Amino acid sequence: MPVRRLNIMLLCSLLLLLSSCSRQDAAGEQMLRIQSGRNIKLLTTTDTHYLSPRLTDNGPAFSRFLAAGDGKQLAYSSEMLDSLAYDIGIERPAAVIISGDLTNNGEKASHQDLAEHLRTIEQQTGTQIYVIPGNHDVQNPWARRFEGEKQLTVPSVTPKQFRKIYSDFGYAEALLKDNDSMSYLAAPSEDLWLLMLDTSQYSSNKKLGHPQLDGQLTDATLRWIDRCGKLAAEQGAHMVAVMHHSLLDHSDFVQEGFTLNNNGQAAAALIRNGITTVFSGHIHFQDIRSSSGEDIYDIANSALSVYPHQYGILNYTPAAGTLEYHTSGLNVELWAKSAGSTDPDLLHFKAYSEAAFRKLSADRSYARLTGDTSYKSYTEEELAAMADVVGRLNEIYFAGTADQDIAAVTGSEGFRLWQTAPYSGLKSYVLRMSELEPKDNNHFVTKLPQR
Ligand code: FE
Ligand code: MN
């Protein structure tokens, strides 16, 4: 046999071993899916909030934007995607899901550069990537680049441009597409399908002057879900749903604009079509909830771009009929080391980002306390200790680790000071946060319904 042909054969069998599925070709022909009955690993992540390095000079305007922000590590957008690629190369999931807020504020350049990262990941690891938009991604009037002292408006994308940019990441690979939104049905394997739901509402953004926060599924999309359910039932496939907004309330603090407006209707549509597990994003913190009847679960992944920079690993085991989920930390340190980086923040990314995240809310709290006359009898040290408690509580809230970490905070001197402190909005926040339900938000296992 000619050597070249043998090499090609070897390469093909190696690719099959690595990914156990074959690519879809550029013409958009039906790809060969992973066969029914095979175990599948998926990686699920969200809120990458990628900002193209082309859009910032890391000058004063950008620093101010970060300081006023919510802890996104935007300056390391590209490095975090390289780290994700590195982790995917090790984990070798069959598919990767990104549930919206792909970009910082919908900048066209960010979408284009992110898509290049995703293309490289698919080519190097043989995984299939599926995305949906979040409220920040389409027709966003806040799209900006940062230059010196200034923020300058840059183009965002239309729904049509979004579909085109991400055609290889779901839109050209769909089994079914919804006409009323950018929702689609994808089938990475014969028996596990992904119902990728677009819950964002971007048509009024221009008029509003900001991206609309709340999410909704239209009546037409709800009817389309029934069509997807019918097809899945006919073909004996399980479906999991993916959406940007929350299906269920995840906290006492954030509901309006975060939980889907018509979540009752949406949950009913998903349940009647055999869906018991939903993956969402948007809230940026890690939380797993079930409906009161425990007939559907909403796993809100924390944001990849925000501390603790983690994603979910999902193992589907058809023989047992189970879906197992756990979180895993983005290993920026390992990638940085292998890439030969000398940046200490990247080489110790977890410690760096944790300290930065804690400081962001501690500094804001300290400023509020020193500006509040009812706290004037406290020393600077006491106020700093109290402010640090807020930082630590926010850290636990975002990581979803109240079950393990809350006792260390409520046992601290700073917390004791809060308990006897005069009333303030911040005090009531601290006390409510200290009562976070001590549940495990980082592990989950469910039995899928019979098919
Ligand atoms: Fe987000
Ligand atoms: Mn969002």
Side-chain angles (χ1 to χ4, degrees), residues 46-49 70 72 100-104 134-136 244 258 281-284 303 305-306:
T46 192
D47 295 81
T48 43
H49 281 290
D70 56 2
K72 294 193 253 326
D101 279 3
L102 309 175
T103 56
N104 180 38
N135 56 307
H136 283 264
H244 186 62
F258 290 90
H282 194 40
I283 56 178
H284 288 197
S305 53
V306 178

Side-chain angles (χ1 to χ4, degrees), residues 145-312:
R145 69 182 170 91
F146 302 88
E147 193 186 298
E149 296 286 345
K150 283 186 285 199
Q151 287 192 21
L152 300 159
T153 302
V154 291
S156 185
V157 295
T158 63
K160 197 176 162 194
Q161 288 168 330
F162 184 93
R163 275 196 199 91
K164 186 155 183 246
I165 292 171
Y166 296 104
S167 63
D168 289 340
F169 312 112
Y171 288 94
E173 303 161 326
L175 274 188
L176 283 178
K177 284 182 214 172
D178 176 28
N179 291 327
D180 210 42
S181 71
M182 283 199 274
S183 305
Y184 62 93
L185 179 64
S189 90
E190 286 174 2
D191 57 359
L192 186 66
W193 292 4
L194 306 173
L195 183 65
M196 305 293 291
L197 296 171
D198 169 18
T199 51
S200 298
Q201 310 177 91
Y202 21 76
S203 57
S204 307
N205 285 355
K206 204 177 165 190
K207 199 173 66 204
L208 291 168
H210 62 81
Q212 190 167 340
L213 182 68
D214 58 309
Q216 179 103 16
L217 287 172
T218 67
D219 290 343
T221 300
L222 289 168
R223 285 194 298 274
W224 174 81
I225 292 173
D226 289 329
R227 276 183 58 207
C228 295
K230 193 161 168 270
L231 191 64
E234 281 166 11
Q235 304 206 9
H238 292 291
M239 288 197 293
V240 295
V242 178
M243 60 173 81
H244 186 62
H245 294 79
S246 310
L247 181 74
L248 305 169
D249 290 338
H250 285 283
S251 103
D252 299 341
F253 305 108
V254 289
Q255 290 175 359
E256 200 175 345
F258 290 90
T259 303
L260 205 65
N261 296 343
N262 55 339
N263 68 328
Q265 255 187 317
L270 297 178
I271 292 165
R272 73 171 171 258
N273 287 293
I275 294 172
T276 54
T277 313
V278 175
F279 293 91
S280 62
H282 194 40
I283 56 178
H284 288 197
F285 59 88
Q286 183 72 30
D287 192 76
I288 302 177
R289 293 286 160 127
S290 74
S291 58
S292 53
E294 294 191 9
D295 36 16
I296 196 157
Y297 291 82
D298 181 6
I299 301 177
N301 275 303
S302 54
L304 190 74
S305 53
V306 178
Y307 174 84
H309 308 282
Q310 60 187 12
Y311 48 76

Side-chain angles (χ1 to χ4, degrees), residues 368-402:
R368 268 174 76 172
L369 289 171
T370 50
D372 188 333
T373 50
S374 51
Y375 288 81
K376 66 177 186 301
S377 64
Y378 289 83
T379 67
E380 274 175 32
E381 288 73 28
E382 285 171 332
L383 293 180
M386 290 163 82
D388 188 54
V389 164
V390 185
R392 287 168 75 192
L393 286 171
N394 278 336
E395 227 182 88
I396 292 167
Y397 189 45
F398 273 62
T401 56

